Amino acid sequence: MVASSVSSAAVSCTLEEMLESKEKEMYQQQWVQNAPHPPCFFREVFENVRDTILPPSNSKNVWSTLVVNDNQQPLYKRALVLLTEIFPILASLRGYNAHKFKFDLMAGITVASLAIPQCVGFATLAQLSPEYGLYTCFGPPLMYAMLTSSREIVIGNVAVDSLLLSSMISKLKDPIQDSVAYTQLLLTATFIAGIFQLAFGIFRFGFLVDYLSHATIVGFLAAAAVGIGAYQFIVLLGINKFTNKSDLISVIKIFWTSLFKDRSQWHPYSFTLGFSFLCFILFARFMGRRNKKLFWLPTIAPLLSVIVSSIVAYTVNSHQINVKDYKVDVLGEIKGGSLNPISLLHLNLSDNFLAPLIKTGLTVAVISLTETIAVGRSFASIRGYNLDPNKEMISLGLTNIVGSFTSCYVASGSLSRTALNYSSGAETTVSSIVMALTVLISLKFLTRLLYYTPKAILAAIIISIVPGLIDIQKAYQIWKVDKLDFLACAAAFFGVLFASVEMGLAIAVTISFAKLILVSIQPGITVLGRLPGTDGFGDIEQYPMGLSIPGLLILSPKSSFLSFANATLVRERIERWVNDGHVEEGEGGSNLKFIILDSSGLTNIDTAGIASLEELNKNLTSHGVKLVIANPRWQVIHKLRVGDFVSKIGGRVFVSVGEAVDACLGLGAAKMANTV
């Protein structure tokens, strides 16, 4: 009697545990199946815009402070909170003192000494009058300093953007024969580039910059550097021939014709002067790297070269009456003495040029963003803070839009100026404001002194930056890590170098997208096993010690989006496991009863994906195998529920793989199969 009562009590206890366990499983299933609806598309767009303008961690607090006013704060204080988030410079000015201003002042003046000759040189590279380089180094840095969250980025015209614009716009208008129309088109391209950058930031399309892969950028910069160096070497010789083609072959033809067939076109004095100061600039850079006490020498070398060479050019040319008789080719008259002239009414959006200008604007926008964000991230990581790329896109887009209205062409983050700004001890973006004001003073009072600046010196300054754009070590690293990435890198390099900028980038981006498509339409299927001594599951190929579970097969698709492009392939691969008999007897000797699909890696699914899962469920059911879904993401479970797929598999949807395994095993897989 006692044994019988004990036995009945044990059975009763076991049944209670079983019922409790079953209730727990059903309760947890409801967590997944009855989740709230995910946000609609328009709500996501609004939140994206809000989180872009205001940092995600503070956006809700800012809006509630501005609108709700629980603390009864005055309106001006609430508005100040919002303005501080929109204009980060206001936050950096809190606690600002004379000590910080001293560092910002010195850094700004130091950067200006490098920026002025660079800006003038890059403007000539873009086939513009030199004053446009000074315009671009005044207005855009001043505005960007108000908007950016980076404390180090210094923007302005850069070599790569100048080369891009010159090579693409010169196909529409000749910069020598019709310089006014050429300048108008270039400013229009700047406006369109700013529109694209602003749109990318507002709609949080920062990921689009990543489609121009790192490998592509490495190849593009190297090719651009070679092209820039080759073309500027022609300028170094004093040759005034222009070509609207950016490929290396066209540049070599000009060099060969001018140097060996018609030597009258080049100026030996210009070459001697330019080459001498090129050696001086490179030597100064070498000494600055070797001796830290001489860190100032590479900074002052370009400006010192401009000053000394201008004195030499004035001395050599002073005896000549006509400019065409000058032995050293100089810049000539530079318009100055005033602020940036308004160019809003000069933008050319006519139908004849709109399509190529949109293509140019999009290309330059992506390249400019990639450069700026890469520069900003590198220095933000050094100082230990995060940079929001979408906010930087908005800041740069607004800057370029306003810049196009004030005679400025595309401005981007300059690596050399940003590095100098950081090394000079800049504390805030006030250093950029100081630099911009220094450029303004030069534009207002010193442009006449640039009359005798030799063009060969500007070419020497540009050539001196070429080695910094070629990263052979990074290309070798790309080769070791990923051969397809190296193929994109090589395509960008040779395409830009021997065809055109557009062609090289198009080929490289095509290869990158082809790689992306191949990976997405041919996703692998990972077989998971329980890791010994843990509750976790892992890929049995990566973790050979993973244990298979009798009667169960746990699979995980290697794709984040189950769509029309890959759904059929995923279904066929899963069915092949059953049809080929790989798991018919089970890994542990028992018949296969359940296939658990770990969908934790799936972030979304479309109608083709749902239809494929329905067909998979039918085929598995005909083989006596039941389909189980584990750990579906929010969008995925919502669409599966709306598409009535959850009910078709008997509600077998679980929070995690572990819960699904426990439910399938339960008191035996057969029992669960009968209760479904």
Side-chain angles (χ1 to χ4, degrees):
M1 291 291 292
V2 174
S4 176
S5 62
V6 171
S7 177
S8 62
V11 171
S12 175
C13 181
T14 303
L15 289 174
E16 289 179 0
E17 291 177 353
M18 289 165 44
L19 291 174
E20 184 180 351
S21 176
K22 190 65 178 178
E23 289 177 359
K24 181 181 178 182
E25 291 172 6
M26 294 178 63
Y27 184 63
Q28 290 179 343
Q29 281 183 277
Q30 296 302 315
W31 293 354
V32 182
Q33 298 183 27
N34 295 330
H37 293 290
C40 67
F41 172 77
F42 296 104
R43 179 182 169 188
E44 288 183 342
V45 171
F46 170 76
E47 290 181 350
N48 285 341
V49 174
R50 182 195 65 191
D51 293 341
T52 300
I53 298 176
L54 304 175
S57 59
N58 299 327
S59 58
K60 294 182 180 179
N61 295 333
V62 171
W63 286 113
S64 62
T65 300
L66 185 64
V67 179
V68 178
N69 192 23
D70 292 334
N71 298 326
Q72 299 298 320
Q73 290 183 340
L75 179 61
Y76 77 92
K77 287 189 176 181
R78 288 182 282 151
L80 184 61
V81 173
L82 179 61
L83 288 174
T84 301
E85 297 297 335
I86 297 176
F87 301 102
I89 190 174
L90 296 177
S92 64
L93 292 179
R94 293 174 183 171
Y96 198 72
N97 51 41
H99 179 73
K100 290 184 178 180
F101 178 71
K102 181 181 71 172
F103 282 100
D104 286 337
L105 178 64
M106 293 304 299
I109 295 175
T110 303
V111 173
S113 67
L114 174 67
I116 291 172
Q118 277 191 350
C119 291
V120 173
F122 295 154
T124 59
L125 179 62
Q127 303 298 327
L128 289 171
S129 298
E131 63 268 16
Y132 285 95
L134 296 175
Y135 295 154
T136 308
C137 270
F138 164 60
L142 192 64
M143 181 175 179
Y144 191 75
M146 308 288 183
L147 299 172
T148 182
S149 58
S150 170
R151 299 193 294 269
E152 294 82 27
I153 294 181
V154 179
I155 69 167
N157 54 339
V158 297
V160 174
D161 294 344
S162 301
L163 174 69
L164 269 174
L165 289 168
S166 173
S167 62
M168 300 179 79
I169 301 298
S170 61
K171 296 177 181 178
L172 305 177
K173 286 291 182 179
D174 191 295
I176 297 178
Q177 301 298 327
D178 196 351
S179 60
V180 175
Y182 173 84
T183 302
Q184 291 176 350
L185 291 179
L186 196 143
L187 295 177
T188 307
T190 300
F191 170 74
I192 294 174
I195 293 293
F196 276 118
Q197 291 170 338
L198 180 63
F200 289 164
I202 289 177
F203 295 104
R204 300 187 72 83
F205 285 172
F207 66 91
L208 290 177
V209 176
D210 295 329
Y211 281 141
L212 201 61
S213 66
H214 179 65
T216 301
I217 292 297
V218 171
F220 166 73
L221 289 178
V226 174
I228 291 171
Y231 188 81
Q232 291 303 308
F233 187 72
I234 292 177
V235 179
L236 194 69
L237 291 171
I239 299 171
N240 288 320
K241 272 197 172 183
F242 168 76
T243 176
N244 60 5
K245 297 180 180 179
S246 60
D247 62 286
L248 186 62
I249 301 300
S250 300
V251 176
I252 291 176
K253 285 181 179 178
I254 294 179
F255 174 76
W256 180 267
T257 302
S258 303
L259 194 59
F260 295 101
K261 293 186 177 181
D262 188 6
R263 295 186 179 181
S264 61
Q265 296 187 24
W266 72 291
H267 296 70
Y269 284 92
S270 293
F271 174 73
T272 303
L273 192 63
F275 185 76
S276 300
F277 280 99
L278 173 61
C279 293
F280 167 69
I281 294 172
L282 294 177
F283 176 74
R285 187 171 300 169
F286 170 76
M287 292 300 297
R289 290 176 179 175
R290 188 167 183 176
N291 189 345
K292 293 183 179 180
K293 293 182 179 180
L294 297 177
F295 70 93
W296 53 270
L297 187 58
T299 303
I300 202 68
L303 183 61
L304 188 62
S305 300
V306 169
I307 295 173
V308 176
S309 64
S310 297
I311 295 174
V312 174
Y314 173 77
T315 304
V316 173
N317 293 332
S318 59
H319 303 292
Q320 306 297 328
I321 300 176
N322 298 321
V323 175
K324 64 179 181 180
D325 296 328
Y326 282 180
K327 295 181 179 180
V328 177
D329 197 15
V330 298
L331 284 179
E333 184 178 358
I334 299 176
K335 296 179 182 178
S338 63
L339 294 175
N340 297 22
I342 302 300
S343 56
L344 174 60
L345 300 179
H346 297 157
L347 301 183
N348 190 343
L349 295 171
S350 61
D351 295 338
N352 296 335
F353 302 109
L354 188 58
L357 285 176
I358 290 176
K359 181 180 73 171
T360 302
L362 177 60
T363 304
V364 175
V366 175
I367 293 294
S368 172
L369 286 174
T370 304
E371 292 175 318
T372 304
I373 293 174
V375 170
R377 279 175 173 170
S378 61
F379 286 94
S381 63
I382 294 174
R383 287 202 167 176
Y385 66 92
N386 294 322
L387 194 73
D388 183 2
N390 292 294
K391 186 170 179 60
E392 295 307 309
M393 288 179 181
I394 289 181
S395 303
L396 194 63
L398 288 173
T399 298
N400 280 322
I401 290 173
V402 175
S404 67
F405 299 159
T406 55
S407 301
C408 304
Y409 72 101
V410 174
S412 303
S414 169
L415 179 58
S416 59
R417 282 166 244 169
T418 302
L420 180 58
N421 190 46
Y422 172 78
S423 61
S424 299
E427 294 285 342
T428 66
T429 54
V430 172
S431 62
S432 292
I433 298 176
V434 172
M435 184 213 73
L437 295 178
T438 305
V439 173
L440 175 63
I441 293 173
S442 302
L443 184 63
K444 184 77 174 176
F445 302 107
L446 304 180
T447 50
R448 291 184 179 180
L449 300 180
L450 296 174
Y451 181 94
Y452 281 100
T453 299
K455 293 181 179 179
I457 290 301
L458 300 180
I461 293 173
I462 296 174
I463 292 173
S464 68
I465 71 168
V466 166
L469 297 175
I470 302 175
D471 196 339
I472 298 177
Q473 184 177 359
K474 180 62 68 174
Y476 178 65
Q477 184 181 8
I478 293 172
W479 164 260
K480 292 194 299 181
V481 173
D482 193 318
K483 299 300 186 290
L484 280 177
D485 271 354
F486 182 79
L487 182 61
C489 177
F493 178 78
F494 290 108
V496 171
L497 199 59
F498 294 105
S500 65
V501 173
E502 311 96 289
M503 182 63 68
L505 290 177
I507 295 174
V509 170
T510 300
I511 293 174
S512 299
F513 269 102
K515 174 189 173 183
L516 183 67
I517 292 172
L518 286 175
V519 172
S520 62
I521 67 175
Q522 293 186 349
I525 302 293
T526 302
V527 180
L528 305 182
R530 188 186 293 273
L531 300 179
T534 71
D535 294 330
F537 294 82
D539 183 356
I540 60 174
E541 292 185 356
Q542 183 179 359
Y543 304 100
M545 73 291 297
L547 302 176
S548 299
I549 301 174
L552 303 181
L553 180 62
I554 308 171
L555 302 175
S556 177
K558 297 179 181 178
S559 177
S560 61
F561 187 19
L562 192 61
S563 65
F564 68 93
N566 57 18
T568 300
L569 188 60
V570 170
R571 174 182 58 80
E572 290 176 349
R573 289 189 176 184
I574 294 175
E575 290 175 352
R576 195 176 301 134
W577 279 90
V578 179
N579 296 333
D580 292 350
H582 292 302
V583 292
E584 181 131 355
E585 296 300 326
E587 298 293 341
S590 60
N591 292 330
L592 178 65
K593 294 298 182 182
F594 296 95
I595 287 184
I596 300 175
L597 194 64
D598 177 19
S599 57
S600 59
L602 289 176
T603 58
N604 211 335
I605 188 172
D606 65 3
T607 54
I610 296 175
S612 182
L613 288 180
E614 291 175 350
E615 187 175 352
L616 173 65
N617 183 52
K618 289 180 182 179
N619 295 337
L620 292 179
T621 302
S622 66
H623 286 79
V625 180
K626 296 185 181 298
L627 181 64
V628 179
I629 304 295
N631 197 14
R633 304 292 286 271
W634 197 3
Q635 291 283 356
V636 174
I637 187 58
H638 172 69
K639 292 183 179 181
L640 292 180
R641 190 176 61 219
V642 172
D644 201 30
F645 177 75
V646 174
S647 61
K648 292 179 182 179
I649 62 172
R652 293 186 294 273
V653 181
F654 298 92
V655 176
S656 64
V657 174
E659 295 288 342
V661 170
D662 293 342
C664 291
L665 295 178
L667 300 175
K671 179 174 178 59
M672 181 181 174
N674 292 330
T675 60
V676 172

